[in-house]
Every structure is written in structure tokens, then in C-alpha cells.
């Protein structure tokens, strides 16, 4: 269910329960009902934020993306060296066989080839684990920083709810990516909010551009 709808339902239920409880209380007790919690004037103010876009536009993202690219280049150099060593040894074994060298000379070469292959496989797995962990670390660092800006902005501007939204890439909507496109669209928190493009909706405002200006 759409998060906004869920919030609205919960709000309506809470208000309804409060009204009903107050009514029964007045009927059974002579003393006046205690004061209700004051509500915001003009209804609920909802802010939309494209968190992915804001994060990608942030200074923190650019810094860590540069580090990420550098780490990948370094690991690629190491992996290329290991792959070259393995291929060279495999070619050496092949030449030894074509030259009909004795098995006593070929066997040590095969052992070296197998060792290099094992080292290469281990290196690839270690690099994959390392990159996955580093990516998670970088993503968290960016999101934490952007979320602080969003929360402070929402408090300052007195928004009641901040809802995450994102834009489905048109490139993903071709025939072959139809399933992925449909799943992405189905899982979007906000399908349509009239007036948000030009910020003409008095209750819902897209704050993405404002946040981008603050995090750049």
C-alpha cells in the first residue's frame, strides 16, 4: 500500500478513535474532556525527495566515487598481472608438450600453472568481497550525510512527512526490460502527486532540488 495512503489511514483512525473516545467520555462523565493535541494548520505537509538523485549529486558521493574508481583501477592492475602470469605459464606448458619434453620437465611447469590458477581464483574472490564491503561502506557514508541534511531541512521547513520517490529510467522501459520496469513502477512509493512537478500542490512539495543545492 502506498505510504501516503497508509499514513492517511492511520491518521484518520487516530482522529476517529479520539473523537469517538471523547464522545463516550462526555456521555458518561460530567467533567469536560482534556485538551486535544494541536494539529498543523492547513493540513499535512508532505515532502517528496528523490534520494538517489540527491545522493548522486552530493559532494560526498563525488569524493567517494573518485576513491572507488581508483581502488577498482588498482585491483584491476593486480588481477591483470596474475592473469598474465597464469596465461604465460599455460603457454609454457603447451610449448613443452609440443616440443616433446620429458614428463619430469613438464610436471613442475604444470604444478606452477595450477598454483597460479588457484592464486588467481582466490584473488578474484577476495577482490569481490572487498569491493562489495567497500561499496556498502561508501553508500552508507553518502546516505547518512544526505539524510542529515534532509531531516534538518524538513524540520526547518516544518514538513510533517518526508516520502522517498524516484524516477523510472526511460531506458529501462523497452520491450525486453518490461518485467523490470513493471516491478520498479509497482514498488514506487509515489505513483502520482498532482502539481509536484511545478510545486503547485499546497500539500506535497518536491524538495529534491533544494536538497541537492545543500549537499553539493
Amino acid at each position: 500500500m502506498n505510504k501516503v495512503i497508509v499514513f492517511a489511514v492511520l491518521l484518520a483512525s487516530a482522529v476517529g478513535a479520539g473523537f469517538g473516545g471523547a464522545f463516550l467520555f462526555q456521555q458518561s462523565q460530567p467533567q469536560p474532556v482534556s485538551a486535544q493535541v494541536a494539529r498543523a494548520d492547513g493540513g499535512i505537509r508532505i515532502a517528496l525527495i528523490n534520494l538517489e538523485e540527491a545522493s548522486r549529486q552530493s559532494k560526498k558521493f563525488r569524493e567517494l566515487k573518485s576513491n572507488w574508481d581508483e581502488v577498482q583501477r588498482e585491483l584491476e592492475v593486480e588481477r591483470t598481472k596474475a592473469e598474465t602470469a597464469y596465461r604465460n605459464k599455460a603457454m609454457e606448458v603447451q610449448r613443452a608438450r609440443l616440443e616433446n619434453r620429458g614428463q619430469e620437465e613438464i610436471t613442475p611447469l604444470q604444478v606452477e600453472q595450477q598454483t597460479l590458477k588457484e592464486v588467481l581464483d582466490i584473488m578474484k574472490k577476495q577482490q569481490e568481497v572487498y569491493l562489495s564491503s567497500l561499496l556498502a561502506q561508501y553508500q552508507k557514508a553518502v546516505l547518512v550525510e544526505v539524510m542529515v541534511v534532509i531531516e534538518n531541512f524538513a524540520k526547518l521547513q516544518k514538513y510533517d512527512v518526508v516520502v522517498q520517490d524516484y524516477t523510472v529510467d526511460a531506458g529501462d522501459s523497452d520491450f525486453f526490460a518490461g518485467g523490470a520496469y513493471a516491478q520498479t513502477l509497482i514498488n514506487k512509493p509515489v505513483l502520482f502527486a498532482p502539481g509536484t512537478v511545478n510545486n503547485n500542490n499546497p500539500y506535497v512539495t518536491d524538495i529534491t532540488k533544494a536538497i541537492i543545492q545543500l549537499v553539493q
Side-chain angles (χ1 to χ4, degrees):
M1 181 182 292
N2 187 290
K3 293 181 180 179
V4 176
I5 296 178
V6 172
F7 184 88
V9 171
L10 293 176
L11 180 63
S13 298
V15 173
F19 178 80
F23 178 78
L24 292 176
F25 186 82
Q26 289 176 337
Q27 294 297 318
S28 58
Q29 300 292 337
Q31 61 268 33
V33 182
S34 58
Q36 296 181 352
V37 177
R39 302 301 304 168
D41 294 333
I44 300 173
R45 298 188 67 218
I46 301 174
L48 295 183
I49 175 69
N50 188 324
L51 184 58
E52 180 179 358
E53 181 180 353
S55 298
R56 288 183 179 277
Q57 296 292 335
S58 69
K59 180 180 178 181
K60 188 71 170 181
F61 175 85
R62 292 194 300 271
E63 292 174 353
L64 295 184
K65 180 63 165 57
S66 178
N67 294 344
W68 170 256
D69 292 339
E70 180 61 27
V71 168
Q72 285 190 307
R73 284 192 292 268
E74 293 176 356
L75 294 181
E76 184 178 1
V77 169
E78 294 180 2
R79 189 170 61 252
T80 299
K81 289 181 179 178
E83 290 173 344
T84 300
Y86 169 71
R87 286 196 301 268
N88 289 342
K89 187 59 64 175
M91 293 175 62
E92 189 176 351
V93 171
Q94 186 177 8
R95 283 196 302 269
R97 288 173 176 171
L98 293 174
E99 295 171 359
N100 293 321
R101 302 180 193 177
Q103 190 61 39
E104 65 280 0
E105 184 177 349
I106 296 178
T107 299
L109 296 176
Q110 290 176 322
V111 172
E112 292 179 21
Q113 178 188 358
Q114 181 61 30
T115 300
L116 290 172
K117 179 65 167 59
E118 293 174 356
V119 169
L120 178 59
D121 290 341
I122 292 174
M123 177 183 293
K124 288 181 177 179
K125 291 180 180 179
Q126 288 179 337
Q127 288 187 355
E128 182 179 353
V129 172
Y130 174 70
L131 287 175
S132 177
S133 175
L134 185 63
L135 180 60
Q137 176 184 335
Y138 282 176
Q139 287 176 335
K140 180 178 179 179
V142 172
L143 291 172
V144 166
E145 185 168 298
V146 174
M147 281 301 301
V148 169
V149 175
I150 293 174
E151 291 175 7
N152 290 337
F153 181 84
K155 292 176 182 177
L156 181 64
Q157 298 297 326
K158 300 185 183 303
Y159 283 102
D160 299 294
V161 182
V162 178
V163 181
Q164 181 183 182
D165 193 22
Y166 53 90
T167 302
V168 179
D169 188 356
D172 294 333
S173 60
D174 58 18
F175 180 81
F176 295 103
Y181 175 81
Q183 288 301 316
T184 301
L185 194 59
I186 288 173
N187 290 301
K188 273 175 62 68
V190 179
L191 290 178
F192 178 62
T196 54
V197 175
N198 299 319
N199 279 338
N200 292 327
N201 190 317
Y203 301 107
V204 183
T205 305
D206 190 332
I207 63 172
T208 302
K209 291 182 179 180
I211 297 300
I212 289 176
Q213 292 178 351
L214 294 173
V215 299
Q216 282 182 333

